[in-house]
PDB file of all heavy atoms in Angstrom:
ATOM      1  N   MET A  25       8.634   2.532  29.716  1.00  0.00           N
ATOM      2  CA  MET A  25       8.817   2.798  28.307  1.00  0.00           C
ATOM      3  C   MET A  25       8.704   4.275  28.007  1.00  0.00           C
ATOM      4  O   MET A  25       8.213   5.039  28.835  1.00  0.00           O
ATOM      5  CB  MET A  25       7.745   2.011  27.499  1.00  0.00           C
ATOM      6  CG  MET A  25       7.737   0.511  27.744  1.00  0.00           C
ATOM      7  SD  MET A  25       6.576  -0.445  26.738  1.00  0.00           S
ATOM      8  CE  MET A  25       7.331  -0.278  25.098  1.00  0.00           C
ATOM      9  N   ARG A  26       9.147   4.686  26.831  1.00  0.00           N
ATOM     10  CA  ARG A  26       9.119   6.067  26.439  1.00  0.00           C
ATOM     11  C   ARG A  26       8.684   6.207  25.009  1.00  0.00           C
ATOM     12  O   ARG A  26       8.992   5.357  24.166  1.00  0.00           O
ATOM     13  CB  ARG A  26      10.443   6.758  26.693  1.00  0.00           C
ATOM     14  CG  ARG A  26      11.556   6.295  25.784  1.00  0.00           C
ATOM     15  CD  ARG A  26      12.910   6.897  26.164  1.00  0.00           C
ATOM     16  NE  ARG A  26      13.975   6.487  25.274  1.00  0.00           N
ATOM     17  CZ  ARG A  26      14.610   7.297  24.475  1.00  0.00           C
ATOM     18  NH1 ARG A  26      14.386   8.581  24.449  1.00  0.00           N
ATOM     19  NH2 ARG A  26      15.615   6.840  23.707  1.00  0.00           N
ATOM     20  N   CYS A  27       8.056   7.317  24.719  1.00  0.00           N
ATOM     21  CA  CYS A  27       7.665   7.694  23.334  1.00  0.00           C
ATOM     22  C   CYS A  27       8.840   8.389  22.709  1.00  0.00           C
ATOM     23  O   CYS A  27       9.343   9.396  23.239  1.00  0.00           O
ATOM     24  CB  CYS A  27       6.440   8.572  23.354  1.00  0.00           C
ATOM     25  SG  CYS A  27       4.948   7.798  23.911  1.00  0.00           S
ATOM     26  N   VAL A  28       9.325   7.873  21.578  1.00  0.00           N
ATOM     27  CA  VAL A  28      10.465   8.463  20.934  1.00  0.00           C
ATOM     28  C   VAL A  28      10.154   9.201  19.643  1.00  0.00           C
ATOM     29  O   VAL A  28      10.960   9.978  19.172  1.00  0.00           O
ATOM     30  CB  VAL A  28      11.568   7.371  20.644  1.00  0.00           C
ATOM     31  CG1 VAL A  28      12.105   6.806  21.940  1.00  0.00           C
ATOM     32  CG2 VAL A  28      10.955   6.254  19.760  1.00  0.00           C
ATOM     33  N   GLN A  29       8.960   8.939  19.087  1.00  0.00           N
ATOM     34  CA  GLN A  29       8.580   9.637  17.876  1.00  0.00           C
ATOM     35  C   GLN A  29       7.059   9.690  17.824  1.00  0.00           C
ATOM     36  O   GLN A  29       6.357   8.725  18.135  1.00  0.00           O
ATOM     37  CB  GLN A  29       9.134   8.964  16.643  1.00  0.00           C
ATOM     38  CG  GLN A  29       8.900   9.707  15.352  1.00  0.00           C
ATOM     39  CD  GLN A  29       9.557   8.997  14.153  1.00  0.00           C
ATOM     40  OE1 GLN A  29       9.959   7.853  14.274  1.00  0.00           O
ATOM     41  NE2 GLN A  29       9.677   9.709  13.087  1.00  0.00           N
ATOM     42  N   LEU A  30       6.493  10.846  17.398  1.00  0.00           N
ATOM     43  CA  LEU A  30       5.082  10.993  17.276  1.00  0.00           C
ATOM     44  C   LEU A  30       4.745  11.765  16.015  1.00  0.00           C
ATOM     45  O   LEU A  30       5.304  12.870  15.739  1.00  0.00           O
ATOM     46  CB  LEU A  30       4.553  11.769  18.513  1.00  0.00           C
ATOM     47  CG  LEU A  30       3.016  11.993  18.609  1.00  0.00           C
ATOM     48  CD1 LEU A  30       2.287  10.673  18.669  1.00  0.00           C
ATOM     49  CD2 LEU A  30       2.690  12.878  19.798  1.00  0.00           C
ATOM     50  N   SER A  31       3.844  11.251  15.209  1.00  0.00           N
ATOM     51  CA  SER A  31       3.424  11.924  13.978  1.00  0.00           C
ATOM     52  C   SER A  31       1.944  11.781  13.820  1.00  0.00           C
ATOM     53  O   SER A  31       1.283  10.942  14.431  1.00  0.00           O
ATOM     54  CB  SER A  31       4.170  11.310  12.781  1.00  0.00           C
ATOM     55  OG  SER A  31       3.835   9.917  12.649  1.00  0.00           O
ATOM     56  N   SER A  32       1.373  12.664  12.960  1.00  0.00           N
ATOM     57  CA  SER A  32      -0.084  12.615  12.766  1.00  0.00           C
ATOM     58  C   SER A  32      -0.361  12.572  11.247  1.00  0.00           C
ATOM     59  O   SER A  32       0.366  13.183  10.459  1.00  0.00           O
ATOM     60  CB  SER A  32      -0.748  13.852  13.359  1.00  0.00           C
ATOM     61  OG  SER A  32      -0.470  13.972  14.726  1.00  0.00           O
ATOM     62  N   GLU A  33      -1.407  11.840  10.906  1.00  0.00           N
ATOM     63  CA  GLU A  33      -1.783  11.749   9.492  1.00  0.00           C
ATOM     64  C   GLU A  33      -3.279  11.374   9.408  1.00  0.00           C
ATOM     65  O   GLU A  33      -3.702  10.396  10.048  1.00  0.00           O
ATOM     66  CB  GLU A  33      -0.987  10.708   8.788  1.00  0.00           C
ATOM     67  CG  GLU A  33      -1.218  10.604   7.288  1.00  0.00           C
ATOM     68  CD  GLU A  33      -0.324   9.657   6.535  1.00  0.00           C
ATOM     69  OE1 GLU A  33       0.658   9.159   7.181  1.00  0.00           O
ATOM     70  OE2 GLU A  33      -0.597   9.345   5.358  1.00  0.00           O
ATOM     71  N   GLY A  34      -4.057  12.150   8.663  1.00  0.00           N
ATOM     72  CA  GLY A  34      -5.437  11.789   8.434  1.00  0.00           C
ATOM     73  C   GLY A  34      -6.264  11.695   9.704  1.00  0.00           C
ATOM     74  O   GLY A  34      -7.152  10.865   9.811  1.00  0.00           O
ATOM     75  N   GLY A  35      -5.976  12.546  10.679  1.00  0.00           N
ATOM     76  CA  GLY A  35      -6.751  12.542  11.886  1.00  0.00           C
ATOM     77  C   GLY A  35      -6.393  11.452  12.862  1.00  0.00           C
ATOM     78  O   GLY A  35      -7.015  11.320  13.898  1.00  0.00           O
ATOM     79  N   ARG A  36      -5.363  10.699  12.592  1.00  0.00           N
ATOM     80  CA  ARG A  36      -4.840   9.665  13.495  1.00  0.00           C
ATOM     81  C   ARG A  36      -3.400   9.979  13.876  1.00  0.00           C
ATOM     82  O   ARG A  36      -2.706  10.683  13.177  1.00  0.00           O
ATOM     83  CB  ARG A  36      -4.892   8.277  12.862  1.00  0.00           C
ATOM     84  CG  ARG A  36      -6.280   7.852  12.344  1.00  0.00           C
ATOM     85  CD  ARG A  36      -7.205   7.499  13.439  1.00  0.00           C
ATOM     86  NE  ARG A  36      -6.879   6.252  14.077  1.00  0.00           N
ATOM     87  CZ  ARG A  36      -7.627   5.666  14.969  1.00  0.00           C
ATOM     88  NH1 ARG A  36      -8.758   6.272  15.406  1.00  0.00           N
ATOM     89  NH2 ARG A  36      -7.283   4.517  15.551  1.00  0.00           N
ATOM     90  N   HIS A  37      -2.962   9.472  15.016  1.00  0.00           N
ATOM     91  CA  HIS A  37      -1.620   9.677  15.511  1.00  0.00           C
ATOM     92  C   HIS A  37      -0.881   8.363  15.505  1.00  0.00           C
ATOM     93  O   HIS A  37      -1.435   7.282  15.847  1.00  0.00           O
ATOM     94  CB  HIS A  37      -1.620  10.255  16.911  1.00  0.00           C
ATOM     95  CG  HIS A  37      -2.379  11.525  17.041  1.00  0.00           C
ATOM     96  ND1 HIS A  37      -1.812  12.736  16.787  1.00  0.00           N
ATOM     97  CD2 HIS A  37      -3.664  11.796  17.387  1.00  0.00           C
ATOM     98  CE1 HIS A  37      -2.703  13.711  16.998  1.00  0.00           C
ATOM     99  NE2 HIS A  37      -3.830  13.154  17.356  1.00  0.00           N
ATOM    100  N   LEU A  38       0.383   8.395  15.136  1.00  0.00           N
ATOM    101  CA  LEU A  38       1.244   7.230  15.180  1.00  0.00           C
ATOM    102  C   LEU A  38       2.446   7.521  16.067  1.00  0.00           C
ATOM    103  O   LEU A  38       3.171   8.483  15.857  1.00  0.00           O
ATOM    104  CB  LEU A  38       1.713   6.850  13.796  1.00  0.00           C
ATOM    105  CG  LEU A  38       2.464   5.497  13.671  1.00  0.00           C
ATOM    106  CD1 LEU A  38       1.551   4.349  14.061  1.00  0.00           C
ATOM    107  CD2 LEU A  38       2.997   5.288  12.258  1.00  0.00           C
ATOM    108  N   CYS A  39       2.632   6.695  17.119  1.00  0.00           N
ATOM    109  CA  CYS A  39       3.704   6.917  18.067  1.00  0.00           C
ATOM    110  C   CYS A  39       4.582   5.673  18.128  1.00  0.00           C
ATOM    111  O   CYS A  39       4.114   4.533  18.169  1.00  0.00           O
ATOM    112  CB  CYS A  39       3.101   7.158  19.460  1.00  0.00           C
ATOM    113  SG  CYS A  39       4.310   7.503  20.748  1.00  0.00           S
ATOM    114  N   ARG A  40       5.902   5.921  18.078  1.00  0.00           N
ATOM    115  CA  ARG A  40       6.840   4.829  18.249  1.00  0.00           C
ATOM    116  C   ARG A  40       7.318   4.844  19.699  1.00  0.00           C
ATOM    117  O   ARG A  40       7.845   5.858  20.200  1.00  0.00           O
ATOM    118  CB  ARG A  40       8.017   4.994  17.289  1.00  0.00           C
ATOM    119  CG  ARG A  40       9.023   3.804  17.357  1.00  0.00           C
ATOM    120  CD  ARG A  40       9.861   3.747  16.101  1.00  0.00           C
ATOM    121  NE  ARG A  40      10.617   4.964  15.923  1.00  0.00           N
ATOM    122  CZ  ARG A  40      11.845   5.152  16.410  1.00  0.00           C
ATOM    123  NH1 ARG A  40      12.448   4.217  17.155  1.00  0.00           N
ATOM    124  NH2 ARG A  40      12.522   6.272  16.177  1.00  0.00           N
ATOM    125  N   VAL A  41       7.210   3.698  20.369  1.00  0.00           N
ATOM    126  CA  VAL A  41       7.475   3.563  21.808  1.00  0.00           C
ATOM    127  C   VAL A  41       8.620   2.600  21.983  1.00  0.00           C
ATOM    128  O   VAL A  41       8.679   1.554  21.313  1.00  0.00           O
ATOM    129  CB  VAL A  41       6.217   3.069  22.555  1.00  0.00           C
ATOM    130  CG1 VAL A  41       6.553   2.843  24.032  1.00  0.00           C
ATOM    131  CG2 VAL A  41       5.095   4.070  22.408  1.00  0.00           C
ATOM    132  N   GLU A  42       9.524   2.936  22.875  1.00  0.00           N
ATOM    133  CA  GLU A  42      10.742   2.115  23.103  1.00  0.00           C
ATOM    134  C   GLU A  42      10.748   1.617  24.536  1.00  0.00           C
ATOM    135  O   GLU A  42      10.525   2.400  25.501  1.00  0.00           O
ATOM    136  CB  GLU A  42      11.994   2.915  22.830  1.00  0.00           C
ATOM    137  CG  GLU A  42      13.283   2.172  23.057  1.00  0.00           C
ATOM    138  CD  GLU A  42      14.500   3.034  22.881  1.00  0.00           C
ATOM    139  OE1 GLU A  42      14.687   3.995  23.646  1.00  0.00           O
ATOM    140  OE2 GLU A  42      15.257   2.784  21.888  1.00  0.00           O
ATOM    141  N   SER A  43      11.051   0.314  24.726  1.00  0.00           N
ATOM    142  CA  SER A  43      11.233  -0.219  26.058  1.00  0.00           C
ATOM    143  C   SER A  43      12.576   0.178  26.584  1.00  0.00           C
ATOM    144  O   SER A  43      13.619   0.036  25.922  1.00  0.00           O
ATOM    145  CB  SER A  43      11.149  -1.766  25.998  1.00  0.00           C
ATOM    146  OG  SER A  43      11.645  -2.353  27.180  1.00  0.00           O
ATOM    147  N   LEU A  44      12.588   0.731  27.792  1.00  0.00           N
ATOM    148  CA  LEU A  44      13.834   1.140  28.428  1.00  0.00           C
ATOM    149  C   LEU A  44      14.610  -0.074  28.947  1.00  0.00           C
ATOM    150  O   LEU A  44      15.802   0.020  29.266  1.00  0.00           O
ATOM    151  CB  LEU A  44      13.560   2.081  29.572  1.00  0.00           C
ATOM    152  CG  LEU A  44      12.921   3.403  29.139  1.00  0.00           C
ATOM    153  CD1 LEU A  44      12.699   4.318  30.350  1.00  0.00           C
ATOM    154  CD2 LEU A  44      13.762   4.141  28.108  1.00  0.00           C
ATOM    155  N   ALA A  45      13.954  -1.232  29.017  1.00  0.00           N
ATOM    156  CA  ALA A  45      14.665  -2.439  29.517  1.00  0.00           C
ATOM    157  C   ALA A  45      15.299  -3.201  28.354  1.00  0.00           C
ATOM    158  O   ALA A  45      16.421  -3.697  28.482  1.00  0.00           O
ATOM    159  CB  ALA A  45      13.661  -3.362  30.208  1.00  0.00           C
ATOM    160  N   THR A  46      14.633  -3.282  27.201  1.00  0.00           N
ATOM    161  CA  THR A  46      15.112  -4.153  26.090  1.00  0.00           C
ATOM    162  C   THR A  46      15.464  -3.359  24.871  1.00  0.00           C
ATOM    163  O   THR A  46      16.113  -3.939  23.954  1.00  0.00           O
ATOM    164  CB  THR A  46      14.036  -5.170  25.707  1.00  0.00           C
ATOM    165  OG1 THR A  46      12.869  -4.471  25.169  1.00  0.00           O
ATOM    166  CG2 THR A  46      13.575  -5.942  26.920  1.00  0.00           C
ATOM    167  N   ARG A  47      15.077  -2.051  24.789  1.00  0.00           N
ATOM    168  CA  ARG A  47      15.283  -1.209  23.601  1.00  0.00           C
ATOM    169  C   ARG A  47      14.472  -1.649  22.400  1.00  0.00           C
ATOM    170  O   ARG A  47      14.690  -1.116  21.311  1.00  0.00           O
ATOM    171  CB  ARG A  47      16.777  -1.133  23.267  1.00  0.00           C
ATOM    172  CG  ARG A  47      17.664  -0.565  24.365  1.00  0.00           C
ATOM    173  CD  ARG A  47      17.199   0.790  24.765  1.00  0.00           C
ATOM    174  NE  ARG A  47      17.978   1.325  25.861  1.00  0.00           N
ATOM    175  CZ  ARG A  47      17.697   2.464  26.508  1.00  0.00           C
ATOM    176  NH1 ARG A  47      16.686   3.193  26.151  1.00  0.00           N
ATOM    177  NH2 ARG A  47      18.465   2.837  27.505  1.00  0.00           N
ATOM    178  N   ARG A  48      13.602  -2.629  22.558  1.00  0.00           N
ATOM    179  CA  ARG A  48      12.709  -2.973  21.455  1.00  0.00           C
ATOM    180  C   ARG A  48      11.623  -1.881  21.323  1.00  0.00           C
ATOM    181  O   ARG A  48      11.302  -1.162  22.250  1.00  0.00           O
ATOM    182  CB  ARG A  48      12.048  -4.343  21.677  1.00  0.00           C
ATOM    183  CG  ARG A  48      13.053  -5.499  21.621  1.00  0.00           C
ATOM    184  CD  ARG A  48      12.318  -6.827  21.765  1.00  0.00           C
ATOM    185  NE  ARG A  48      11.344  -7.003  20.680  1.00  0.00           N
ATOM    186  CZ  ARG A  48      10.459  -8.013  20.681  1.00  0.00           C
ATOM    187  NH1 ARG A  48      10.412  -8.835  21.664  1.00  0.00           N
ATOM    188  NH2 ARG A  48       9.623  -8.092  19.653  1.00  0.00           N
ATOM    189  N   THR A  49      11.038  -1.763  20.142  1.00  0.00           N
ATOM    190  CA  THR A  49      10.056  -0.752  19.883  1.00  0.00           C
ATOM    191  C   THR A  49       8.724  -1.289  19.457  1.00  0.00           C
ATOM    192  O   THR A  49       8.644  -2.450  18.980  1.00  0.00           O
ATOM    193  CB  THR A  49      10.556   0.229  18.821  1.00  0.00           C
ATOM    194  OG1 THR A  49      10.750  -0.478  17.588  1.00  0.00           O
ATOM    195  CG2 THR A  49      11.864   0.915  19.231  1.00  0.00           C
ATOM    196  N   ILE A  50       7.718  -0.516  19.601  1.00  0.00           N
ATOM    197  CA  ILE A  50       6.374  -0.878  19.179  1.00  0.00           C
ATOM    198  C   ILE A  50       5.693   0.396  18.593  1.00  0.00           C
ATOM    199  O   ILE A  50       5.977   1.496  19.056  1.00  0.00           O
ATOM    200  CB  ILE A  50       5.534  -1.459  20.358  1.00  0.00           C
ATOM    201  CG1 ILE A  50       4.223  -2.002  19.861  1.00  0.00           C
ATOM    202  CG2 ILE A  50       5.356  -0.418  21.446  1.00  0.00           C
ATOM    203  CD1 ILE A  50       3.418  -2.757  20.898  1.00  0.00           C
ATOM    204  N   GLU A  51       4.838   0.199  17.595  1.00  0.00           N
ATOM    205  CA  GLU A  51       4.108   1.294  17.005  1.00  0.00           C
ATOM    206  C   GLU A  51       2.692   1.306  17.596  1.00  0.00           C
ATOM    207  O   GLU A  51       2.018   0.254  17.690  1.00  0.00           O
ATOM    208  CB  GLU A  51       4.011   1.137  15.503  1.00  0.00           C
ATOM    209  CG  GLU A  51       5.329   1.105  14.781  1.00  0.00           C
ATOM    210  CD  GLU A  51       6.050   2.458  14.795  1.00  0.00           C
ATOM    211  OE1 GLU A  51       5.336   3.479  14.930  1.00  0.00           O
ATOM    212  OE2 GLU A  51       7.272   2.496  14.601  1.00  0.00           O
ATOM    213  N   ILE A  52       2.238   2.491  18.043  1.00  0.00           N
ATOM    214  CA  ILE A  52       0.903   2.644  18.585  1.00  0.00           C
ATOM    215  C   ILE A  52       0.133   3.648  17.732  1.00  0.00           C
ATOM    216  O   ILE A  52       0.585   4.786  17.562  1.00  0.00           O
ATOM    217  CB  ILE A  52       0.960   3.121  20.049  1.00  0.00           C
ATOM    218  CG1 ILE A  52       1.733   2.130  20.917  1.00  0.00           C
ATOM    219  CG2 ILE A  52      -0.480   3.304  20.598  1.00  0.00           C
ATOM    220  CD1 ILE A  52       1.884   2.564  22.347  1.00  0.00           C
ATOM    221  N   GLU A  53      -1.027   3.203  17.215  1.00  0.00           N
ATOM    222  CA  GLU A  53      -1.884   4.099  16.475  1.00  0.00           C
ATOM    223  C   GLU A  53      -3.030   4.555  17.413  1.00  0.00           C
ATOM    224  O   GLU A  53      -3.647   3.670  18.058  1.00  0.00           O
ATOM    225  CB  GLU A  53      -2.453   3.393  15.234  1.00  0.00           C
ATOM    226  CG  GLU A  53      -3.332   4.342  14.414  1.00  0.00           C
ATOM    227  CD  GLU A  53      -3.987   3.609  13.215  1.00  0.00           C
ATOM    228  OE1 GLU A  53      -3.885   2.372  13.159  1.00  0.00           O
ATOM    229  OE2 GLU A  53      -4.591   4.283  12.385  1.00  0.00           O
ATOM    230  N   ALA A  54      -3.241   5.858  17.519  1.00  0.00           N
ATOM    231  CA  ALA A  54      -4.218   6.340  18.500  1.00  0.00           C
ATOM    232  C   ALA A  54      -5.094   7.433  17.819  1.00  0.00           C
ATOM    233  O   ALA A  54      -4.645   8.253  17.010  1.00  0.00           O
ATOM    234  CB  ALA A  54      -3.530   6.935  19.660  1.00  0.00           C
ATOM    235  N   ARG A  55      -6.343   7.413  18.192  1.00  0.00           N
ATOM    236  CA  ARG A  55      -7.279   8.411  17.724  1.00  0.00           C
ATOM    237  C   ARG A  55      -7.016   9.744  18.407  1.00  0.00           C
ATOM    238  O   ARG A  55      -7.105  10.830  17.785  1.00  0.00           O
ATOM    239  CB  ARG A  55      -8.710   7.953  18.021  1.00  0.00           C
ATOM    240  CG  ARG A  55      -9.799   8.815  17.490  1.00  0.00           C
ATOM    241  CD  ARG A  55     -11.129   8.304  18.014  1.00  0.00           C
ATOM    242  NE  ARG A  55     -12.255   8.994  17.442  1.00  0.00           N
ATOM    243  CZ  ARG A  55     -13.491   9.039  17.956  1.00  0.00           C
ATOM    244  NH1 ARG A  55     -13.742   8.417  19.078  1.00  0.00           N
ATOM    245  NH2 ARG A  55     -14.459   9.694  17.332  1.00  0.00           N
ATOM    246  N   THR A  56      -6.686   9.700  19.690  1.00  0.00           N
ATOM    247  CA  THR A  56      -6.427  10.869  20.500  1.00  0.00           C
ATOM    248  C   THR A  56      -5.162  10.680  21.305  1.00  0.00           C
ATOM    249  O   THR A  56      -4.927   9.599  21.835  1.00  0.00           O
ATOM    250  CB  THR A  56      -7.637  11.148  21.456  1.00  0.00           C
ATOM    251  OG1 THR A  56      -8.824  11.345  20.706  1.00  0.00           O
ATOM    252  CG2 THR A  56      -7.384  12.382  22.311  1.00  0.00           C
ATOM    253  N   VAL A  57      -4.352  11.751  21.399  1.00  0.00           N
ATOM    254  CA  VAL A  57      -3.133  11.717  22.200  1.00  0.00           C
ATOM    255  C   VAL A  57      -3.237  12.750  23.286  1.00  0.00           C
ATOM    256  O   VAL A  57      -3.594  13.898  23.032  1.00  0.00           O
ATOM    257  CB  VAL A  57      -1.902  11.931  21.347  1.00  0.00           C
ATOM    258  CG1 VAL A  57      -0.642  12.062  22.223  1.00  0.00           C
ATOM    259  CG2 VAL A  57      -1.694  10.829  20.342  1.00  0.00           C
TER     260      VAL A  57
END
């Protein structure tokens, strides 16, 4: 999988991740990147 977009807001990070096999995406919220 690969990270296609990364943004930060209010001390948290939001990353959009895409599967290279299916092209479906998932959102990951993280305290630290």
